[in-house]
Amino acid sequence: MPSDTRETVLSAAEPQRPSRPPEMGVRALLLGERLDTRALESGAVLATAPLALALERGGVAVVFRYGVAVLFAAERDVATAFLASLGPFVAEPFARPEVEEARLVISSASDQQVDAAGNIVLRDRTVERLQVVADVLAKNLVLTHYETRVAAVFDRIEPLAATLRDTGRPGARRKELLHLIGSVLGIQQRTVGRVETQEKPELLWEHPEFERLYVRLAEEYELRDRDHALDRKLDVISRTVQTLLSLVQTRSGTRLEWYILLLIFAELLVATYPLLLHH
């Protein structure tokens, strides 16, 4: 058998290795408290609600008004330039943006799921699918941020509750307690009012065929359960702080009443002292 024929037969006999499905990196960044997305609508807009923008060399960015940008297949220099361009439109920027990364796998045989390695698997790379993924990743990042903040608040009120238990005193001043209440109200207003972590994205009203994808990803990242847990923690903090504040105000009122009684007693002494001298 000629050598070239033998090589052809061997080549045909070898099992063909399946080609790996295309992958892309995804980065979600929490840049600040708010992002003016309207100012970005003059760029290379791919879709709105949420706003999706085309980046150089095939990348895509999806931005949200609550300060999150999600970048798909954005090379490092492209991502750096784009994030720098967002700077003027970020209100109350964080000194160091919070970042969470993921991998996106495109596979026509997929069933829109998260695989064992934690990769998000999609059938194709349509803008609408990227918007759905971005919405889930953005909400996940915001929840992670506020879970950390709420844990820090818990650390602050725990010794106050312990002091109240051991000494019967609030262990904090009115100003500190009011600051804690303000922190709780701020978190509730942001997660419920701006981010709407329990609400489905507007995109699903026009494209209900992507609802299954959204539900699967939301369950994978436990958005609803984490949001409920955050609400419960905020409620506990709020009730604890309000109780302590009420005790502080009661003590202040009692102290003021004693001051008034002492002043009345002092005035009586001043008024009766000359009479006592004449006797």
Side-chain angles (χ1 to χ4, degrees), residues 3 20 87 102 118 148 150 167 182 190 230 248 268 274:
S3 60
R20 294 183 61 184
T148 303
V150 167
T167 66
R190 180 171 166 81
L230 189 63
V248 169
L268 289 175

Side-chain angles (χ1 to χ4, degrees), residues 54-109:
L55 302 179
E56 295 181 9
R57 299 196 284 277
V60 175
V62 183
V63 293
F64 298 85
R65 59 188 177 88
Y66 47 84
V68 176
V70 183
L71 309 182
F72 296 89
E75 297 181 14
R76 185 175 297 275
D77 59 330
V78 174
T80 301
F82 176 72
L83 294 174
S85 71
L86 293 181
F89 309 114
V90 178
E92 301 178 54
F94 298 144
R96 178 177 296 179
E98 296 195 28
V99 182
E100 189 160 330
E101 298 185 350
R103 297 293 298 176
L104 202 63
V105 177
I106 307 300
S107 174
S108 58

Side-chain angles (χ1 to χ4, degrees), residues 27-34 66-70 90 93-100 138 141-146 190 195:
R27 294 178 69 206
L29 302 99
L30 181 57
L31 306 173
E33 292 292 340
R34 291 181 304 278
Y66 47 84
V68 176
V70 183
V90 178
F94 298 144
R96 178 177 296 179
E98 296 195 28
V99 182
E100 189 160 330
L141 184 57
V142 170
L143 282 173
T144 300
H145 172 73
Y146 283 107
R190 180 171 166 81
V195 185

Side-chain angles (χ1 to χ4, degrees), residues 30-233:
L30 181 57
L31 306 173
E33 292 292 340
R34 291 181 304 278
L35 176 59
D36 184 6
T37 57
R38 292 183 180 181
L40 303 173
E41 293 179 357
S42 59
V45 177
L46 297 174
T48 57
L51 181 63
L53 304 170
L55 302 179
E56 295 181 9
R57 299 196 284 277
V60 175
V62 183
V63 293
F64 298 85
R65 59 188 177 88
Y66 47 84
V68 176
V70 183
L71 309 182
F72 296 89
E75 297 181 14
R76 185 175 297 275
D77 59 330
V78 174
T80 301
F82 176 72
L83 294 174
S85 71
L86 293 181
F89 309 114
V90 178
E92 301 178 54
F94 298 144
R96 178 177 296 179
E98 296 195 28
V99 182
E100 189 160 330
E101 298 185 350
R103 297 293 298 176
L104 202 63
V105 177
I106 307 300
S107 174
S108 58
S110 76
D111 193 23
Q112 303 179 151
Q113 61 183 346
V114 177
D115 63 19
N119 300 318
I120 301 171
V121 185
L122 299 180
R123 290 177 182 172
D124 53 50
R125 178 186 161 171
T126 61
V127 174
E128 291 80 11
R129 281 188 169 85
L130 296 186
Q131 286 176 294
V132 172
V133 172
D135 186 272
V136 173
L137 293 179
K139 290 175 179 176
N140 171 68
L141 184 57
V142 170
L143 282 173
T144 300
H145 172 73
Y146 283 107
E147 285 167 347
T148 303
R149 286 188 57 177
V150 167
V153 175
F154 254 108
D155 290 340
R156 292 175 62 184
I157 67 169
E158 184 177 3
L160 301 181
T163 300
L164 179 63
R165 179 195 63 206
D166 297 338
T167 66
R169 297 179 180 180
R173 296 183 178 181
R174 183 171 179 271
K175 183 176 180 181
E176 181 182 357
L177 295 174
L178 289 174
H179 179 74
L180 289 173
I181 290 177
S183 298
V184 171
L185 293 176
I187 294 174
Q188 290 175 325
Q189 184 270 337
R190 180 171 166 81
T191 54
V192 177
R194 292 191 207 159
V195 185
E196 299 177 342
T197 48
Q198 294 194 38
E199 301 297 325
K200 295 180 180 180
E202 295 181 17
L203 172 69
L204 298 184
W205 290 99
E206 297 182 3
H207 299 277
E209 65 272 20
F210 297 122
E211 183 166 357
R212 183 181 180 186
L213 170 62
Y214 176 81
V215 170
R216 285 198 171 195
L217 292 177
E219 289 178 351
E220 182 67 29
Y221 285 93
E222 301 178 336
L223 297 186
R224 183 175 294 275
D225 292 341
R226 291 165 61 199
D227 186 81
H228 288 164
L230 189 63
D231 279 343
R232 288 195 298 270
K233 291 178 181 179

